Amino acid sequence: MMLVPCYLAASNIEGLGVYSREPIMKGQLIWRFDPRIDRMISLDSFSDADERLSNFLNRYTYVPHFDRTVCILDGDEGRYMNHSETPNTDFSSIDAGYALREIPADEELICDYREFDMTADHMMASISPLGRQLSLDAVRLMTANSPASANGQLGH
C-alpha cells in the first residue's frame, strides 16, 4: 500500500505512472505490503482464468523472489509504478519500498522491477507495444526451470 500521498497521471515511460503529491525525503518509507489491500494469490488458483482475468494478472501482478508459487497484486496506485534502470525508489526489501533520494512533489515514482519480481527480465522482454506480457503458463514454466527452483533457493 502506498504510504505517501500520490496520484496517477500520464507517464513518459509507459501508460500511467505514480506521482508524488508532496516532497518525499531520502530514506522515507513509501510502500509496505498490507494484506488488507494488497493480495498474495496462488498462481495455481488462476489455472482456469478467462482471457480478461489472465491479461489483468499478467499486467498488474508480480512473482516475488521469496515464493515462486504466488503472485502479488498491489491494491492501490502502486500497481501503476513504472520500471527504470535508474529508479528513485528501493524495493529490495521483501515487503517495503523506500525513497533512494529526495523526490520533489509531482515527480514520477519509479522502481527497478528486478528488485522484487523474479520474472521481471522475461516480462520486460515480452512486452509488446500493446502492453501484452507472458502468460501465466509461461511464467510457471520459466520459474520451474529457474536456478532457484533447481536448488530450492529463492532470493535475490
Side-chain angles (χ1 to χ4, degrees):
M1 177 175 179
M2 296 301 297
L3 301 176
V4 294
C6 56
Y7 62 95
L8 300 178
S11 169
N12 290 329
I13 297 171
E14 197 271 330
L16 293 175
V18 180
Y19 292 81
S20 60
R21 285 197 184 280
E22 301 173 355
I24 298 171
M25 306 267 304
K26 179 179 180 178
Q28 184 175 339
L29 180 64
I30 62 166
W31 180 90
R32 179 172 298 283
F33 182 84
D34 184 333
R36 295 173 298 180
I37 190 166
D38 303 313
R39 300 285 312 272
M40 190 176 297
I41 308 164
S42 167
L43 290 175
D44 291 336
S45 69
F46 292 102
S47 60
D48 61 347
D50 62 26
E51 183 178 4
R52 175 141 168 55
L53 178 57
S54 289
N55 288 341
F56 178 83
L57 293 171
N58 288 335
R59 180 139 180 98
Y60 294 112
T61 65
Y62 55 92
V63 179
H65 294 286
F66 62 86
D67 187 346
R68 68 181 180 276
T69 67
V70 300
C71 61
I72 295 178
L73 174 64
D74 291 343
D76 62 1
E77 302 93 343
R79 79 175 68 160
Y80 295 98
M81 197 172 290
N82 284 314
H83 170 79
S84 174
E85 297 288 323
T86 55
N88 55 14
T89 63
D90 176 1
F91 279 84
S92 59
S93 173
I94 288 175
D95 65 349
Y98 300 88
L100 283 173
R101 59 172 174 77
E102 290 187 18
I103 302 171
D106 300 314
E107 181 173 320
E108 184 172 6
L109 302 176
I110 49 180
C111 58
D112 184 341
Y113 290 169
R114 296 168 298 188
E115 290 180 334
F116 56 86
D117 183 356
M118 69 181 296
T119 65
D121 287 328
H122 298 282
M123 182 273 296
M124 289 183 290
S126 73
I127 295 175
S128 75
L130 298 176
R132 296 191 60 105
Q133 299 175 355
L134 292 170
S135 67
L136 285 177
D137 289 335
V139 169
R140 283 190 194 98
L141 180 62
M142 185 215 46
T143 57
N145 295 325
S146 73
S149 68
N151 65 18
Q153 303 258 331
L154 294 176
H156 303 292

